[in-house]
Every structure is written in C-alpha cells, then in structure tokens.
C-alpha cells in the first residue's frame, strides 16, 4: 500500500495520522504530500496500524511518537514523564527576561520531568548553571537522554524528594517549578491525555496546593538574599498562590497570565530590592 492510500480513513484526525506515519518513516509531513506513491514495507504498514489503534484507544500522540516540541526543541517523552505543555513556556519567557544579563546564575529546577524547562533555559545560555531534580528516576532517565541528545553540559539532574537532597549550604539565584497542582478529585484527571500521564506528575493531593505550599515555605532556605521563586499553577489558583507567597514573606510578588489569559505563573523575591 502507498502513502496516499494508507492515510485515507484511518479513524483518527487526518493530521494525527500524518504525524504518526511521518514519524514511522522518519520524514516530515510535507514529504507525505510530495511522495504519495511511495510504497510502505510490511513492517511500516504493521507499525502504522498498531499506532493508529493506540490513538483510537486514547493514548496521547506525544506518547505514541515519543516526542513533544517545547520552546521549539524536540524532546523525548514517554509514559514516565508529563507531556510538556505550551503554557509552561511562560515560565521560560519570565526567567529569560529577568536573567537577561550575561552573568553566571545558579538555578534549581524542582520537578523537572522530561527536563523541558531546564533544557529550554540551558540551551544557548552557558552562563546558567542548573541543578534539576525529580522524585521519579524514570523521568530523570528521559531528562538525561534529552540532555545528552543536545550535548548540554550546564545541567546536573539529580534525584530528590523536593529539597531533601539539596544541601542547605547551596544557594540559588532562582528556584523554578512546575509542580503537580491538580486536586485529586478533579474530573479532568479521568479525561483526555491526563488519563495516561503519571499521577505523581499531576496531583499532589486533596487541594492541589500541597506541593506549591511546601515549596513556597521551604524555597527561601535555598535562595540567595536576592533570589527568586517562580511557580506555575492552575488557571484558578493565582490568587491563592500569591497569598501563600505573601504569608511566607516574599517581596515583589507578581502573577502573569498565559496565552489563554489565565493566571499561570506567580513569582516573588526574597528581597524587596529591585533587580
Ligand atoms: C507537572 S510535572 C512537571 C514536569 C516538567 N517540569 C514539565 O513542566 O513538563 C511535575 C513533576 O513533579 C514530579 N514530582 C512529584 N512529586 C515530587 C516530589 N515529591 N519531589 C520531586 N518531584 C516530584 C513528578 O515526578 C513530575 O515529573
């Protein structure tokens, strides 16, 4: 069977069947349109239908092709990692704006997953020295693969249950985190892609704020006197998270909105000195 025929009536969205086939053939989607007569081998044909079936069963496209673009970087992702979301790019924008000078900065990223945030920051910024941690060894393995693929030298990936393995003598210019923040009874957890992502990456407990609160209350012990804490949170958690920053004594607290106009990232500094 050729490319043109196989793409007809796959039972899923046409662009998704194209993504799957292009991934199997290791070509881009444009190639499929310029080479409609290209015949598939039996192996390619079998792989295509296995993957189409997976998609019909609801498995996220990123897990099927084991790839997701974040900050224009193709990252390996598997069922052991969260699929990086476009709204998380807001964290990168805010941090690059704040740390735009070409000085040596030390960052700690908690809950790195596939390594998306740290890799986006480290790539092209050799002046950043990043420690990135996660509680999932399986996710850390994927993060290290992504690091090696892009020959990134300025990230150290380590296992840690939040701050447990971070020495309190280490002090950072910024602590950055996209933690699990969905309340455990939220119906979205049993819908769409979320059904297939690691529960530990999605929910910290009953209120959804458990991890955020813990990080806010402990981050200061690991920040320089001029250091900053940056947290992604749920679209409806902005006010509460800003309140937690305030109660914990942070200064210069701000919440920024994502492209869908949802409050998405809140940050604050240990000091009230403008930097
Ligand atoms: C929302 S995901 C974020 C992944 C990645 N930073 C991103 O933005 O795509 C949350 C991550 O928190 C990690 N995590 C959950 N509990 C943790 C804990 N107690 N200590 C460290 N990491 C934890 C999960 O393994 C998961 O990788």
């Amino acid at each position: 069977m050729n490319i043109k025929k196989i793409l007809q009536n796959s039972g899923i969205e046409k662009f998704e069947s194209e993504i799957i086939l292009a991934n199997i053939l290791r070509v881009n989607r444009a190639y499929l349109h310029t080479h409609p007569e290209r015949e598939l081998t039996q192996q390619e044909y079998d792989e295509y239908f296995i993957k189409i079936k997976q998609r019909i069963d609801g498995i996220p496209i990123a897990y099927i092709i084991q790839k997701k673009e974040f900050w224009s970087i193709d990252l390996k992702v598997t069922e052991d990692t969260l699929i990086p979301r476009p709204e998380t790019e807001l964290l990168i924008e805010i941090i690059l704006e704040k740390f735009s000078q070409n000085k040596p900065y030390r960052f700690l990223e908690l809950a790195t997953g596939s390594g998306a945030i740290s890799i986006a920051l480290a790539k092209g910024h050799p002046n950043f020295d990043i420690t990135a941690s996660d509680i999932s060894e399986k996710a850390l393995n994927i993060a290290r693969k992504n690091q090696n693929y892009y020959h990134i030298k300025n990230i150290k990936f380590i296992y840690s249950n939040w701050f447990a393995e971070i020495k309190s003598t280490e002090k950072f210019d910024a602590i950055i985190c996209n933690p699990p923040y969905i309340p455990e009874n939220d119906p979205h957890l049993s819908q769409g892609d979320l059904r297939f992502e690691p529960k530990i990456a999605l929910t910290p407990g009953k209120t959804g704020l458990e991890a955020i609160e813990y990080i806010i209350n402990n981050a200061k012990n690991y920040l320089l006197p001029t250091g900053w804490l940056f947290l992604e949170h749920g679209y409806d958690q902005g006010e509460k998270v800003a309140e937690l920053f305030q109660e914990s004594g942070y200064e210069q607290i701000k919440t920024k909105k994502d492209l869908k106009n949802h409050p998405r990232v809140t940050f604050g500094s240990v000091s009230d000195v403008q930097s």
Side-chain angles (χ1 to χ4, degrees):
M1 193 178 278
N2 67 28
I3 286 177
K4 189 175 175 188
K5 281 219 178 88
I6 205 168
L7 285 172
Q8 283 161 3
N9 307 323
S10 64
I12 63 172
E13 296 279 350
K14 181 143 186 287
F15 81 96
E16 289 192 338
S17 48
E18 287 180 5
I19 291 171
I20 289 172
L21 186 58
N23 180 256
I24 292 168
L25 302 182
R26 293 187 166 79
V27 297
N28 57 33
R29 275 173 67 205
Y31 175 97
L32 304 177
H33 295 276
T34 51
H35 298 76
E37 307 306 329
R38 145 85 147 89
E39 292 290 328
L40 272 73
T41 65
Q42 186 64 43
Q43 201 183 338
E44 289 164 348
Y45 178 92
D46 292 344
E47 190 179 344
Y48 176 76
F49 282 106
I50 289 170
K51 291 186 170 173
I52 293 293
K53 166 81 171 55
Q54 290 175 337
R55 185 65 193 123
I56 289 170
D57 291 345
I59 298 179
I61 198 95
Y63 286 159
I64 295 173
I65 65 167
Q66 302 223 316
K67 199 161 73 176
K68 177 73 184 174
E69 189 183 304
F70 178 79
W71 199 251
S72 301
I73 303 168
D74 274 340
L75 294 169
K76 184 176 175 69
V77 295
T78 69
E79 289 81 351
D80 296 318
T81 66
L82 184 95
I83 301 167
R85 305 291 202 269
E87 53 265 33
T88 301
E89 294 189 354
L90 178 62
L91 263 176
I92 312 297
E93 282 171 30
I94 295 169
I95 291 158
L96 290 183
E97 197 180 310
K98 211 154 246 333
F99 297 93
S100 58
Q101 287 172 292
N102 193 17
K103 290 202 234 159
Y105 290 115
R106 295 194 70 215
F107 297 157
L108 171 64
E109 192 216 343
L110 301 170
T112 192
S114 63
I117 294 171
S118 287
I119 289 170
L121 291 171
K123 210 167 170 280
H125 293 93
N127 56 317
F128 295 168
D129 173 10
I130 305 178
T131 300
S133 66
D134 204 287
I135 200 168
S136 162
E137 288 284 11
K138 287 180 174 172
L140 285 166
N141 282 338
I142 301 300
R144 289 191 188 102
K145 281 191 181 153
N146 283 320
Q147 173 186 35
N148 292 338
Y149 184 82
Y150 290 108
H151 308 289
I152 290 170
K153 303 274 183 251
N154 50 334
I155 309 176
K156 185 173 66 176
F157 286 107
I158 61 164
Y159 167 87
S160 184
N161 180 357
W162 300 130
F163 297 96
E165 308 300 321
I166 314 295
K167 293 190 196 82
S168 58
T169 48
E170 291 206 64
K171 303 287 176 198
F172 296 90
D173 293 285
I175 296 177
I176 303 150
C177 185
N178 173 18
Y181 53 67
I182 305 176
E184 68 187 7
N185 292 326
D186 190 312
H188 291 103
L189 290 171
S190 48
Q191 294 166 16
D193 285 3
L194 271 60
R195 291 171 294 165
F196 298 90
E197 293 181 289
K199 281 284 162 295
I200 196 170
L202 298 171
T203 178
K206 219 173 176 165
T207 67
L209 288 162
E210 291 86 345
I212 286 177
E213 191 162 4
Y214 183 80
I215 294 163
I216 291 175
N217 289 336
N218 288 277
K220 280 185 167 180
N221 302 330
Y222 304 87
L223 284 169
L224 287 164
T226 53
W228 289 81
L229 172 63
F230 299 86
L231 289 179
E232 178 173 323
H233 48 71
Y235 71 98
D236 55 355
Q237 294 171 331
E239 260 178 51
K240 182 67 198 161
V241 173
E243 218 173 280
L244 290 169
F245 268 78
Q246 215 146 30
E247 283 167 13
S248 201
Y250 287 81
E251 308 276 354
Q252 306 186 66
I253 302 158
K254 279 202 183 72
T255 298
K256 290 221 169 177
K257 291 183 175 171
D258 64 18
L259 289 173
K260 291 188 181 150
N261 217 26
H262 294 137
R264 185 58 69 186
V265 171
T266 296
F267 54 100
S269 172
V270 176
S271 130
D272 60 359
V273 176
Q274 298 285 335
S275 56

